[in-house]
Amino acid sequence: MSNEYIALLMFSTLMLMLVTGQRVFGAVGFVAAVSALCLWGGTGAAEMPFNASIGLLNWYPLLTLPLFIFMGYMLSESGIAGDLYRMFHVWMGPLPGGLALGTIVLMVAISAMNGLSVAGMAIGTSIALPEMLKRKYDKIMVTGVIQAGSSLGIMVPPSIVLVLYGMIARQPVSQLWLAGVFPGLLLAVLFGGYIAIRCKLNPELGPPLPKEERQMPMKEKLQLLYAGILPLAIIFSVTGLFMIGVTSLVESSAVGAAAATIAAIAKKRLTRKVLDNTLHMTLSVSCMFMWIILAALCFGAVFDGLGAVKAIEVLFLEKWGLGPWQVLIMMQVSYILMGMFLDDTAMLVIVAPLYIPLIISLGFNPIWYGVLYTVTCQIAYMTPPFGYNLFLMKAMAPPEITLVDIYKSIVPFVLLMCFGLALIMMFPQIALWLPEYYYGT
Amino acid sequence: MPNAIKTYVRCVDAVNRRVGKFALYLVFVMMGILLFSSISRTFFDVPFNWTMEMAQFTMAAYYLLGGGYSMQLKAHVRMDVLYERWSERKRAAVDVITSMFLIFYLAVLLYGGLSSTLYSLTYGQRNYSSWGPPMAPIKIIMVIGILLMLLQAVAVFFRDLAKARGKELV
């Protein structure tokens, strides 16, 4: 029983620390370091925080993180993503809630250009959010839209989370990526439907663009449509090259970053200021991310050393004597619970090696489970108190959006994601049809 | 505040700003290494076994050397449900206490880094890979990064202390 007490102690200490407002990485790292020293003492425990950095050093897919962040900022700072947004703005603006719907479509496009939700969040908060706030869209709804939309980044290829899953489950990444396509679109359609219905019922949430703003000659409208072509080319230079096997996964992130830079040069938008902002934002966001992951990995190692994960396994199979579907559902629930306070990549490394063999031996399809896992991660990303998206959103959003607004905004979208998750569970073909069609298995 | 502390804070800020401005450009080094690797393999059929690790080492240098500067840029998010409602001065006062936690974590990190680096130097440790580079150089860079982060955290502590006492430290 003492293990459970320690886990509880760690969790409550962490809560207390975070309420004091210290930097998250400092709070997480401190609790991890102190717990390691108290529990095990000696040199080995004192080295645990640093060992996490060696773990990161040998984790190649993580290289895609700064490069995709760079790419995302390059696209937003140079205004290329802005062109894309303006295209949706003009074409979808007349609908009630049209800008929010356009944002969802934009997010799907951006998700196809990067493997994490960071870039989508950056573009969403820097371009779409101010535009929507200016046009009196409901603050809480649009915050939710951007978070839910950007979380598609880990579902639509190229997805970092599916790469990590593929490594652990020993499944081909390309099949996993294909499996993520339709579930990603399904979620986007669910979000879009929700926005459309809510704005139809209550037009104040998302007023249509005033007439004078959308009167624009057809020629200009078509020119804007043309602006969408460049991002499409970038999407294919990243995902396409990887899918046909020209570049490795990590290389394709470098190709994408270079393609975004070249696109900015070609459009004569790569000024000193754009480059400077991009580099500073890339460093800020990468450092924030990497230092949190560093601390969270150490926290996870302590948690793991306490045998918390093993305890869950014993609990499921022996103590509760659950059937296959019950185990699956329990796993999803436990992922969401753990995702609240563990980094999802650390979680994948700690929990997945225990869960995945169990899933395969129970007769479930590992590719399909990868998709379920990813949707669950999306949910865990967004659930308080430790969702990464929540922190990112707070870091990037204008100051009038408080953390409480962010917490409120995600509720309907988390419910929609749970619904989507249930659909994919009931109809595995949503995920499996495309990879089976493509690879003929 | 004694002059020694003011000088310390100014020096640390300046050093970290310079190191950080250098680290900014490491993202191009990563990009370059990976592009070089994919071009040489695809077009000239010459694969290299060192590119991935080199890029990975560059990334470690990137986020660790950039750490101190990222603190100056206020890049690190906080859980600020309560924090954001406090006055400037109260925030600084609470930060004075809680930065001890941050400093403690960084100190443990530094200790682990030093002992791991000493091990690599003593036994000539190499990475388990086909390239098998010695680990000491990258570990030394990482330790420098962690040290700079620790120095910056202490500088931030002094700044907050001054602010909590109603003064600004330039």
Side-chain angles (χ1 to χ4, degrees):
Chain A
M1 263 321 264
S2 66
N3 279 354
E4 280 89 336
Y5 281 122
I6 298 164
L8 190 69
L9 181 75
M10 280 177 72
F11 187 66
S12 48
T13 321
L14 198 57
M15 277 306 293
L16 186 74
M17 299 267 321
L18 291 175
V19 167
T20 64
Q22 186 48 260
R23 296 163 187 84
V24 172
F25 87 93
V28 175
F30 170 74
V31 173
V34 168
S35 323
L37 285 170
C38 292
L39 285 166
W40 300 294
T43 335
E47 283 179 356
M48 274 176 76
F50 184 74
N51 286 343
S53 74
I54 299 295
L56 288 181
L57 202 58
N58 289 313
W59 215 355
Y60 295 139
L62 220 51
L63 258 175
T64 53
L65 184 95
L67 292 171
F68 278 138
I69 293 173
F70 176 89
M71 180 176 163
Y73 277 107
M74 184 54 87
L75 290 173
S76 60
E77 290 288 325
S78 68
I80 292 171
D83 292 347
L84 193 61
Y85 180 69
R86 254 180 299 284
M87 174 182 117
F88 293 123
H89 189 115
V90 169
W91 284 84
M92 299 182 83
L95 299 172
L99 296 188
L101 289 174
T103 304
I104 292 285
V105 182
L106 175 77
M107 288 301 177
V108 174
I110 288 167
S111 298
M113 291 189 266
N114 80 94
L116 282 167
S117 49
V118 187
M121 188 86 87
I123 294 163
T125 44
S126 62
I127 301 168
L129 192 62
E131 287 287 327
M132 287 195 280
L133 290 178
K134 205 160 67 191
R135 293 192 170 66
K136 304 273 180 291
Y137 271 56
D138 182 60
K139 172 169 90 165
I140 292 177
M141 187 185 76
V142 296
T143 311
V145 165
I146 287 165
Q147 294 197 75
S150 63
S151 78
L152 294 173
I154 62 170
M155 176 60 83
V156 176
S159 156
I160 304 287
V161 171
L162 282 175
V163 172
L164 296 175
Y165 177 89
M167 266 170 21
I168 289 157
R170 293 165 204 279
Q171 299 299 321
V173 171
S174 48
Q175 286 204 28
L176 286 166
W177 276 10
L178 283 177
V181 172
F182 280 118
L185 293 178
L186 170 75
L187 288 176
V189 169
L190 285 177
F191 297 157
Y194 166 77
I195 297 164
I197 291 168
R198 268 201 77 188
C199 291
K200 189 105 198 161
L201 295 178
N202 186 359
E204 299 220 327
L205 293 173
L209 282 191
K211 225 178 178 140
E212 53 275 24
E213 262 197 71
R214 42 185 163 104
Q215 266 178 353
M216 191 186 258
M218 202 59 194
K219 187 161 166 261
E220 252 176 80
K221 274 192 167 187
L222 286 175
Q223 250 170 9
L224 275 171
L225 208 55
Y226 176 75
I229 292 172
L230 197 58
L232 274 181
I234 293 172
I235 291 171
F236 285 115
S237 79
V238 177
T239 315
L241 287 180
F242 174 76
M243 292 303 292
I244 57 177
V246 174
T247 53
S248 77
L249 180 81
V250 175
E251 285 163 3
S252 64
S253 70
V255 173
T261 315
I262 292 167
I265 294 170
K267 284 205 149 195
K268 297 202 175 55
R269 300 258 184 83
L270 191 68
T271 57
R272 182 71 221 174
K273 189 167 166 280
V274 167
L275 185 64
D276 221 47
N277 284 350
T278 306
L279 287 174
H280 275 88
M281 286 314 293
T282 309
L283 185 83
S284 291
V285 177
S286 303
C287 279
M288 184 215 74
F289 233 105
M290 296 304 296
W291 282 88
I292 289 183
I293 293 176
L294 194 62
L297 272 183
C298 179
F299 187 82
V302 172
F303 217 71
D304 197 31
L306 287 171
V309 172
K310 188 84 193 149
I312 289 166
E313 196 193 10
V314 171
L315 194 69
F316 281 179
L317 286 180
E318 288 163 31
K319 281 211 188 121
W320 294 355
L322 298 173
W325 275 97
Q326 286 163 318
V327 171
L328 188 88
I329 289 165
M330 279 311 298
M331 279 180 184
Q332 300 311 102
V333 172
S334 69
Y335 267 137
I336 294 176
L337 290 178
M338 278 185 286
M340 288 180 183
F341 57 97
L342 282 182
D343 168 54
D344 76 309
T345 44
M347 190 165 93
L348 187 75
V349 172
I350 298 162
V351 187
L354 285 171
Y355 276 11
I356 295 165
L358 192 59
I359 281 293
I360 296 174
S361 72
L362 288 172
F364 293 112
N365 183 318
I367 301 269
W368 169 71
Y369 186 68
V371 173
L372 293 188
Y373 171 81
T374 311
V375 183
T376 319
C377 269
Q378 279 182 284
I379 299 172
Y381 255 141
M382 292 179 37
T383 37
F386 295 103
Y388 274 96
N389 266 17
L390 301 171
F391 293 132
L392 281 172
M393 185 75 195
K394 183 70 188 99
M396 294 175 183
E400 70 238 49
I401 306 233
T402 63
L403 201 58
V404 176
D405 288 336
I406 296 176
Y407 283 174
K408 269 190 221 156
S409 70
I410 56 146
V411 175
F413 292 98
V414 165
L415 292 177
L416 284 174
M417 285 173 159
C418 291
F419 177 63
L421 185 68
L423 280 181
I424 301 164
M425 277 180 162
M426 282 187 285
F427 307 103
Q429 284 306 314
I430 298 172
L432 294 177
W433 180 81
L434 191 62
E436 280 174 7
Y437 176 79
Y438 195 79
Y439 291 98
T441 43
Chain B
M1 283 277 155
N3 272 330
I5 290 178
K6 283 185 190 162
T7 317
Y8 168 83
V9 172
R10 255 200 307 271
C11 286
V12 169
D13 277 359
V15 169
N16 266 323
R17 198 164 45 241
R18 294 214 177 112
V19 174
K21 296 238 180 215
F22 161 76
L24 285 181
Y25 293 92
L26 288 177
V27 77
F28 288 121
V29 178
M30 285 182 252
M31 217 187 289
I33 293 170
L34 292 168
L35 285 177
F36 169 75
S37 137
S38 49
I39 290 169
S40 82
R41 204 195 44 242
T42 314
F43 295 111
F44 305 104
D45 207 19
V46 186
F48 293 99
N49 65 356
W50 53 267
T51 48
M52 283 301 257
E53 273 163 294
M54 204 57 218
Q56 193 76 9
F57 289 171
T58 312
M59 183 170 82
Y62 179 69
Y63 77 87
L64 290 170
L65 290 178
Y69 190 48
S70 75
M71 287 267 278
Q72 289 181 17
L73 294 173
K74 299 201 181 354
H76 297 278
V77 283
R78 301 159 177 272
M79 183 90 169
D80 57 358
V81 180
L82 300 172
Y83 191 83
E84 68 172 357
R85 290 180 202 172
W86 299 338
S87 67
E88 279 281 292
R89 197 159 167 182
K90 189 176 177 191
R91 284 184 199 176
V94 173
D95 273 345
V96 164
I97 301 164
T98 57
S99 22
M100 306 282 189
F101 300 153
L102 178 64
I103 290 168
F104 179 85
Y105 168 61
L106 290 169
V108 177
L109 204 56
L110 183 66
Y111 169 81
L114 282 173
S115 101
S116 175
T117 309
L118 273 180
Y119 173 88
S120 301
L121 281 170
T122 322
Y123 297 97
Q125 186 197 14
R126 287 173 173 277
N127 208 13
Y128 294 114
S129 64
S130 60
W131 180 34
M135 290 300 280
I138 184 60
K139 281 192 187 171
I140 291 172
I141 293 175
M142 289 164 75
V143 167
I144 293 172
I146 295 168
L147 179 67
L148 286 173
M149 187 74 159
L150 180 60
L151 293 176
Q152 186 68 50
V154 174
V156 169
F157 164 80
F158 283 130
R159 241 178 229 289
D160 286 335
L161 188 62
K163 207 184 272 175
R165 295 163 69 202
K167 287 176 211 139
E168 278 297 326
L169 199 65
V170 190

